[in-house]
Amino acid sequence: MMSHIKVLLKSELGVWIFLLLTHCSEGQHQLIGPTQPIVAMFGDDVVLPCRLEPAVDAAARTVEWSRPDLQQRLIHFRRDSVDLLTEQNPSYTRRTSLSISKLKSGDISLKLSKVKLSDTGTYKCNIPKFNTESAVELVVGSVSSPEIEVSKDSSSVELQCKSAGWYPQPEVLWLDGDGNLLSAGPTETVRGPDDLYTVSSRVTVEKKHGNKFTCRVQQNNITQTRETVIHVSADLFMVHSNLSARITTTMAACVLTIAVVIFIVWKWGQTRTKRQKEDEAELRKREMWMIGNDVELELLMEGQRDREQSMLGSEKMKYLKMKKAKFDEELQKNKEELEHVQQVIEVLKEQKDDLKNQKEKLLSLQQEEKMKVKEIETKKDPLLDKNKKKREKAKEEATQKKTVHEELLKNTEKLLETTEEMIVKMTERKGKLETNKEQILKHLKSTEQEIEELQKKVEESERKEDKDNPPVNIKTTGHQQERPQDLPEEEQNNPC
């Protein structure tokens, strides 16, 4: 009997020990979650990590996910291998799930689909059997890339950075090309009905800051940064530092250049006309002189036809050579004038290109001012709406600039038209000079041929004369008869 009682006590003691050990082993399980907040972007899917340590199969365990800060705190509930979601918070309907395969390895992480901004908060995962739970903090963010617009002012360049669709509220920074922070005005923040933030910031930049600027929008809680870089050319600083003055100066320079070109062309034309008249008068004078000489020769040398032919040929040769010299001179003048006209055309063409570039710039500026006026009239800017006078002033300044640009554009178009007309006229003049050059070359060639032919005739005439009048040698018996010029002066006077 005593032995039987001892056996029974040992058996019951073993059961209690087994149950105690089992309870202790189960009590040692812990749920482990992340030590840092989980960041998810608006509209994305996210997994909230939570796992058992040591790992055991939790597929048939009761698993509970909740959010204590909500009135209806249940997010997801599973018991006896079945998801029971009748008590689930409505805002999470059909957006939560557990992975069966992961549950078998002790991973009870919750997948949350299509994250909303309202999902931001602290979540708790719990397995009642093990009397353990863990917290997971979720931060939902939304980001967008900033856009930069350039605003024109009479003395500086203003940049505006704007970025819409952020959550949580971000901060805006301006950096120069070396990464140094720029001093900007206060950031304007507007929160929309969707709880997303729109931020904008303005900064005034100068040439000393360089030409590369960065607008950086960042949110440290979600460790998100977006930035946009803009390059502002040095010409933009120069133009906008004193736009109207610079354009007016440019216009004045254009007018002055054209005036100088017109004066040069006019003066050259006057000189050319005067020179042509003097040359024509000189040529007529020489022609009359030659005609007078021919008449005089004919009267003085009448009856001596052979010698007359030689003299006429000599005078004609002289006249032809003089004529050739005149054509050579005219050809040289023609070449110089052609070169001068070509230079004037090149200057006018350069002026035309400059005016075209100026016109394009003015058209661009005019279009920008039109858009700016329209934007001020139609777009609602919270900063300007707070100050009606500031809006009216901005509109008035934009309108004034638009008027100035229109006037400058009109003057530029007139100058461009005048320049094009001058180019046409000078091109026509160039064509006439080239035609005259061809005529001069033609006459010059003809005169050279006449000279060549006359030279041949003179040479033939001289050969014929030599042939018809050979040297006379008078012979006598025994000695050569002496010609009168070979005798002494007394004998020449008294030949007998």
Side-chain angles (χ1 to χ4, degrees), residues 39-98:
V39 178
M41 291 297 102
F42 175 77
D44 291 347
D45 297 345
V46 66
V47 174
L48 304 181
C50 187
R51 69 181 188 281
L52 271 171
E53 291 289 348
V56 296
D57 186 354
R61 304 282 183 180
T62 299
V63 177
E64 179 183 324
W65 276 90
S66 63
R67 186 173 157 187
D69 62 320
L70 297 179
Q71 185 176 1
Q72 194 170 347
R73 57 188 298 273
L74 191 63
I75 303 301
H76 195 94
F77 185 74
R78 181 182 177 85
R79 185 171 60 192
D80 298 332
S81 303
V82 178
D83 291 328
L84 303 174
L85 305 177
T86 55
E87 301 296 328
Q88 183 186 39
N89 187 305
S91 64
Y92 290 90
T93 301
R94 291 190 296 276
R95 293 200 300 125
T96 60
S97 62
L98 297 172

Side-chain angles (χ1 to χ4, degrees), residues 133-185:
E133 66 178 16
S134 179
V136 180
E137 183 180 355
L138 174 64
V139 178
V140 179
S142 178
V143 299
S144 67
S145 296
E147 297 179 355
I148 299 178
E149 295 181 358
V150 180
S151 299
K152 292 85 178 176
D153 198 355
S154 59
S155 59
S156 60
V157 177
E158 186 179 64
L159 306 179
Q160 180 184 21
C161 178
K162 188 174 183 179
S163 186
W166 277 83
Y167 189 87
Q169 180 180 342
E171 62 177 335
V172 183
L173 304 174
W174 283 99
L175 309 173
D176 63 13
D178 298 326
N180 301 317
L181 285 173
L182 295 174
S183 177

Side-chain angles (χ1 to χ4, degrees), residues 379-401:
K379 188 176 179 181
K380 291 186 177 181
D381 190 329
L383 183 61
L384 292 177
D385 289 340
K386 291 179 182 178
N387 192 337
K388 187 177 180 180
K389 290 184 178 179
K390 188 173 182 180
R391 173 183 284 275
E392 292 299 328
K393 184 179 179 181
K395 182 179 177 181
E396 183 180 355
E397 289 178 354
T399 304
Q400 288 177 352
K401 288 181 181 179

Side-chain angles (χ1 to χ4, degrees), residues 293-309 311-312:
N293 281 349
D294 289 344
V295 173
E296 184 179 358
L297 286 172
E298 185 175 355
L299 293 174
L300 292 174
M301 303 175 66
E302 187 176 321
Q304 301 179 7
R305 304 311 302 172
D306 294 338
R307 189 177 180 186
E308 178 188 2
Q309 291 295 327
M311 290 297 294
L312 288 174

Side-chain angles (χ1 to χ4, degrees), residues 26 43 103 144 164-165 200 255 395 414 426:
E26 287 183 348
L103 285 171
S144 67
S200 62
V255 173
K395 182 179 177 181
K414 287 182 180 179
M426 296 307 295

